[in-house]
């Protein structure tokens, strides 16, 4: 067995100071903890490694804020070798100057040896700030980080900023964008989704990781958080219902050899329903992924055979470029 912690799989690392919200974020996104219950979480005091059983096996390493991970006792290579992205959480409701100093020290340290790491800064807990103040804080943090890095000779550092809160969809949206950068097939997925919405007159299509509700791709038409919210809420409804009625999310791969068409047609969950003035089409794509399409207000019932057919084509193409997670 490979001794490396990540076994070659892309890894997400969640870092930031104590009480910045790291445990809350991973509990809400990956363990479906209701946000209000994070009040009772114990603050992180150790490195927590978790593997997510998802379409890709990323890991969240929950670092305690006070730990000095550049201490020689740490095996830095083992930590950063296979990393995909470093997510740095900053508590926007608190004094953040210290957090920025530590973030910059980390970036400058890493960039010598691991120039390919994406640094993703979550300006977190913005639910507590007014809209104006929120923008001001994000701008201030961005400015300070980028200025200080360029003062140290690191121009145009690959650092992205997101405003996040566990009390709304922003944390899922930010994670989606972080994950998408780690998917080499993304342009192909987007092209497939573009051709799907063109052929079926669909308004917007998302490919969701069902358990985390992160979307790993969408078509290239403009995205707004509202359509993501509608789809994400709908997944909750469908997953709740299918848990009652036994939507088999198990990994019974032995079945897959029997009869491919029967598997695809008989066992895929397909729904078409009207929610919030929008028809929503959902189809389970494989063990982890579901396709959700926003269809607008006109009843698409007569188009359903066309959509079913095109989604079938999409599903086959996806299996070629993105072989993980077949049923
Ligand atoms: P950690 O030490 O970085 O793991 O931080 P915790 O996850 O323990 O969070 C510290 C506190 O911040 C908890 O009381 C959480 O309820 C709170 N918290 C986390 N995320 C948010 C958020 O998005 N908004 C608000 N208002 N509070 C948050």
């Amino acid at each position: 067995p490979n001794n490396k912690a990540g076994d070659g799989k892309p890894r997400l690392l969640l870092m930031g100071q104590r009480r910045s919200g790291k445990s809350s974020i991973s509990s809400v996104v990956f363990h479906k903890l209701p946000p209000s219950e994070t009040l009772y979480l114990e603050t992180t005091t150790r490195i927590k490694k978790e593997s997510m059983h998802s379409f890709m096996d990323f890991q969240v390493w929950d670092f305690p804020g006070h730990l000095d991970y550049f201490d020689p006792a740490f095996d830095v290579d083992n930590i950063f070798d296979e990393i995909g992205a470093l997510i740095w959480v900053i508590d926007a409701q608190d004094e953040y100057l210290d957090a920025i100093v530590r973030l910059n020290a980390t970036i400058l340290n890493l960039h010598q040896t691991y120039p390919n790491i994406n640094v993703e800064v979550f300006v977190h807990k913005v639910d507590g700030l007014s809209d104006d103040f929120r923008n001001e804080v994000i701008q201030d943090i961005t400015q300070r980080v980028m200025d200080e890095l360029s003062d140290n000779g690191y121009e145009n550092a690959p650092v992205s900023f997101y405003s996040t809160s566990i009390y709304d969809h922003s944390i899922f949206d930010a994670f989606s964008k972080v994950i998408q950068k780690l998917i080499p097939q993304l342009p192909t997925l987007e092209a497939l989704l573009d051709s799907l919405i063109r052929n079926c007159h669909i308004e917007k299509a998302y490919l969701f990781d069902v358990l985390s509700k992160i979307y790993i791709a969408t078509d290239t038409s403009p995205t707004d958080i509202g359509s993501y919210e509608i789809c994400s809420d709908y997944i909750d409804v469908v997953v709740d219902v299918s848990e009652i009625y036994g939507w088999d999310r198990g990994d019974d791969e032995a079945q897959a050899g029997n009869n491919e068409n029967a598997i695809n047609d008989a066992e895929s969950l397909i729904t078409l329903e009207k929610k919030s003035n929008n028809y929503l089409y959902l189809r389970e794509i494989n063990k982890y992924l579901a396709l959700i399409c926003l269809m607008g207000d006109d009843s698409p019932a007569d188009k359903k055979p066309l959509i079913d057919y095109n989604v079938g084509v999409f599903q086959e193409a996806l299996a070629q470029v993105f072989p993980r997670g077949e049923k």
Side-chain angles (χ1 to χ4, degrees):
N2 189 341
N3 286 331
K4 282 259 162 105
D7 293 337
K9 290 160 189 163
R11 181 185 302 164
L12 289 183
L13 224 54
L14 209 54
M15 282 193 192
Q17 289 181 310
R18 191 186 286 184
R19 310 286 299 160
S20 58
K22 301 177 298 297
S23 315
S24 308
I25 291 172
S26 64
S27 307
V28 168
V29 174
F30 298 107
H31 303 290
K32 303 283 143 251
L33 188 74
S36 54
E37 284 177 31
T38 62
L39 290 169
Y40 314 108
L41 279 180
E42 270 181 52
T43 188
T44 314
T45 50
R46 60 195 171 91
I47 299 175
K48 274 196 279 190
K49 299 178 204 175
E50 295 185 79
S51 279
M52 306 304 163
H53 297 287
S54 175
F55 70 101
M56 66 196 284
D57 290 302
F58 50 88
Q59 300 188 359
V60 177
W61 287 31
D62 197 5
F63 273 73
H66 61 281
L67 209 85
D68 184 5
Y69 33 89
F70 289 110
D71 187 305
F74 258 104
D75 184 352
V76 177
D77 281 341
N78 200 29
I79 296 176
F80 288 113
D81 250 10
E82 302 162 76
I83 195 179
L86 167 65
I87 298 175
W88 191 282
V89 185
I90 295 182
D91 182 346
Q93 295 186 16
D94 197 9
E95 271 299 319
Y96 50 72
L97 294 183
D98 270 2
I100 290 176
V101 169
R102 291 192 64 123
L103 166 61
N104 282 338
T106 307
I107 295 173
L108 290 168
N109 256 302
L110 284 181
H111 132 81
Q112 306 293 337
T113 329
Y114 309 100
N116 295 323
I117 292 178
N118 300 333
V119 180
E120 316 280 7
V121 179
F122 285 7
V123 179
H124 191 55
K125 308 193 193 177
V126 292
D127 51 275
L129 311 179
S130 70
D131 284 354
D132 284 352
F133 191 50
R134 179 183 304 192
N135 290 333
E136 218 172 276
V137 167
I138 293 163
Q139 267 186 7
D140 187 50
I141 291 178
T142 308
Q143 189 90 42
R144 284 175 190 275
V145 172
M146 298 316 274
D147 283 356
E148 204 176 303
L149 288 176
S150 83
D151 286 350
N152 281 282
Y154 192 9
E155 302 284 349
N156 303 317
V159 185
S160 310
F161 298 84
Y162 309 80
S163 66
T164 57
S165 163
I166 54 170
Y167 288 99
D168 58 35
H169 290 81
S170 58
I171 191 67
F172 295 94
D173 197 48
F175 257 105
S176 301
K177 288 173 177 143
V178 167
I179 300 274
Q180 285 173 25
K181 291 192 197 166
L182 303 177
I183 300 176
Q185 303 93 331
L186 185 66
T188 314
L189 297 183
E190 288 176 343
L192 288 172
L193 289 166
D194 278 346
S195 115
L196 178 71
I197 65 165
R198 222 174 23 245
N199 289 336
C200 304
H201 305 285
I202 290 167
E203 279 182 10
K204 191 81 195 146
Y206 290 94
L207 196 56
F208 265 83
D209 179 53
V210 174
L211 292 180
S212 63
K213 293 197 292 171
I214 286 168
Y215 65 97
I216 69 161
T218 179
D219 61 88
T220 54
S221 71
T223 314
D224 69 282
I225 187 106
S227 37
Y228 169 73
E229 284 173 16
I230 294 172
C231 295
S232 160
D233 292 346
Y234 186 52
I235 285 200
D236 284 341
V237 174
V238 172
V239 170
D240 279 353
V241 170
S242 56
E243 268 165 10
I244 299 169
Y245 294 105
W247 179 11
D248 180 16
R249 305 211 61 78
D251 47 2
D252 198 353
E253 270 157 36
Q255 283 185 358
N258 294 349
N259 179 339
E260 258 176 53
N261 287 331
I263 297 275
N264 286 342
D265 293 341
E267 295 199 4
S268 284
L269 183 95
I270 303 177
T271 66
L272 181 63
E273 255 184 81
K274 194 166 189 190
K275 295 271 172 207
S276 334
N277 286 327
N278 251 298
Y279 280 93
L280 288 175
Y281 176 97
L282 177 146
R283 175 142 160 187
E284 184 189 12
I285 294 291
N286 61 35
K287 214 164 75 185
Y288 305 117
L289 301 177
L291 175 78
I292 304 195
C293 302
L294 273 165
M295 317 279 299
D297 210 3
D298 286 340
S299 168
D302 49 337
K303 282 200 305 192
K304 188 161 178 301
L306 173 76
I307 298 169
D308 285 343
Y309 172 77
N310 279 290
V311 170
V313 172
F314 169 82
Q315 191 170 12
E316 275 167 34
L318 187 79
Q320 306 274 317
V321 292
F322 206 73
R324 301 206 56 204
E326 269 113 277
K327 290 181 71 160

